[in-house]
Amino acid sequence: MKAIYDVPAPAKLNLFLHLTGRRPDGYHLLQSVFMLVDWCDTLHFELRSDGQIQREDLSEALPADDLIVRAARLLQQTGQTPLGAQISVQKNIPAQAGLGGGSSDAASTLLALNRLWGLQLSTEQLCALAIRLGADVPFFIRGRNAWVEGIGDIIRPLETTEQCPPGRFIIVKPEAGLETAKIFSAPELKRDKKPATIAGFAADHYRFGENDLQPVAQRLCPEVTQALNWLASSGLCPRMTGSGSAVFSHMLKQDESKLDLASAPGTWRIKQCSNMEVHPLLGWATSDKSSVGV
């Protein structure tokens, strides 16, 4: 195998995000449902025999040592391979949005290079590397919508449509971004939410709970409030995803005609998406029972 082209890296939405405590080491304990949506970055991988990891940005410029490069180097070191890769990136998912774009790129890099280099690492082995790159990366490696707890390390797949039914969503990313660290360090952040249950979530999938990070984000970034109000003016029930600044709402078919897209600021990025039952790369790790073609 000399190359793998058109590798998708989908975004995720946090359908809710509750903070239930904080560990002595400072890490926050959370509960959330992570859901894949079909807003994707696209990556291309070409084999290099000289051991070099090179990245080409096909759209916006990324930091030199971003998660894609770090993931490739970590896998290269772990697999003790002399091979390298030329990685081309078409970036579509906005940064500082709470959509997990960087984490998803890292996961797709691990999955694709595991194949391209013939390393044959299992899902569990890749997840052990993924957690070293970021708390969200193992979710994308596992490839299923999931109930997430702990510090993001306890991942329970939601494998049926009853647990996570098909839906349409509108996502709004204001021009301003948000730094996750500033939100989690805010003194007014509430960290004492009563633990929820999967049964409670399943009773009202797309209106369940709230995002405990949202009030702090709205104080730090007024555009979050503007985006929430814009969606609410169309009769939707929006909330923020992750640590923002993107907000979203579930939509029924009749809601789409109510949206006045022309009234939104031109600097906002607006995307209508569907959720995904599974990650497009599910089955790419060696231990997986199914296999996806290249």
Side-chain angles (χ1 to χ4, degrees):
M1 188 181 295
K2 299 296 184 183
I4 306 176
Y5 298 113
D6 300 318
V7 175
K12 60 86 179 164
L13 293 175
N14 294 85
L15 294 182
F16 70 95
L17 200 166
H18 294 172
L19 298 183
T20 59
R22 193 175 190 179
R23 301 193 321 191
D25 60 8
Y27 282 96
H28 288 77
L29 300 174
L30 61 85
Q31 287 186 313
S32 185
V33 164
F34 288 12
M35 183 187 70
L36 298 160
V37 293
D38 60 357
W39 193 355
C40 299
D41 293 338
T42 303
L43 295 86
H44 313 284
F45 300 86
E46 298 179 29
L47 190 68
R48 294 180 65 119
S49 59
D50 60 4
Q52 295 294 308
I53 303 294
Q54 299 288 339
R55 194 196 68 227
E56 178 186 5
D57 300 331
L58 302 178
S59 50
E60 64 186 80
L62 300 174
D65 189 33
D66 76 331
L67 279 178
I68 294 170
V69 174
R70 288 167 56 194
R73 288 176 176 161
L74 179 60
L75 183 65
Q76 185 184 51
Q77 180 183 25
T78 301
Q80 298 182 332
T81 178
L83 300 173
Q86 177 72 32
I87 307 171
S88 302
V89 185
Q90 177 66 45
K91 192 70 182 164
N92 301 312
I93 304 169
Q96 292 191 330
L99 295 169
S103 295
S104 187
D105 292 342
S108 289
T109 296
L110 291 175
L111 289 163
L113 291 181
N114 186 43
R115 276 197 158 196
L116 188 64
W117 292 339
L119 300 180
Q120 299 185 336
L121 299 186
S122 68
T123 296
E124 294 303 324
Q125 290 173 308
L126 291 176
C127 282
L129 299 180
I131 195 65
R132 295 166 60 181
L133 297 165
D136 291 352
V137 185
F139 159 73
F140 291 103
I141 293 288
R142 295 193 181 278
R144 293 187 181 274
N145 301 319
W147 179 274
V148 179
E149 294 184 292
I151 59 172
D153 57 330
I154 302 172
I155 302 173
R156 304 178 187 177
L158 302 176
E159 296 183 343
T160 68
T161 55
E162 289 76 16
Q163 291 178 316
C164 193
R168 289 281 293 167
F169 300 83
I170 183 166
I171 304 172
V172 178
K173 168 60 174 68
E175 182 178 18
L178 278 166
E179 294 182 23
T180 302
K182 288 186 177 181
I183 294 180
F184 277 103
S185 62
E188 72 268 32
L189 184 64
K190 301 295 184 182
R191 304 174 173 91
D192 57 356
K193 184 78 73 178
K194 181 180 178 181
T197 65
I198 294 178
F201 162 74
D204 194 9
H205 300 89
Y206 300 131
R207 292 178 182 264
F208 177 82
E210 55 199 343
N211 187 334
D212 289 341
L213 306 183
Q214 185 173 303
V216 176
Q218 288 182 255
R219 177 181 65 80
L220 295 173
C221 181
E223 272 196 276
V224 171
T225 300
Q226 294 170 18
L228 290 166
N229 290 342
W230 182 76
L231 286 173
S233 70
S234 296
L236 300 175
C237 296
R239 65 181 58 179
M240 191 177 75
T241 179
S243 56
S245 61
V247 304
F248 73 97
S249 179
H250 177 242
M251 292 191 305
L252 300 175
K253 189 170 182 62
Q254 59 265 30
D255 293 327
E256 298 187 33
S257 61
K258 300 176 185 177
L259 290 169
D260 182 12
L261 297 179
S263 67
T267 55
W268 290 1
R269 294 186 64 181
I270 300 174
K271 181 78 170 178
Q272 296 185 49
C273 300
S274 296
N275 58 358
M276 307 173 78
E277 185 176 354
V278 298
H279 195 292
L281 307 186
L282 183 68
W284 277 37
T286 301
S287 66
D288 297 329
K289 296 179 180 179
S290 59
S291 180
V292 180
V294 180

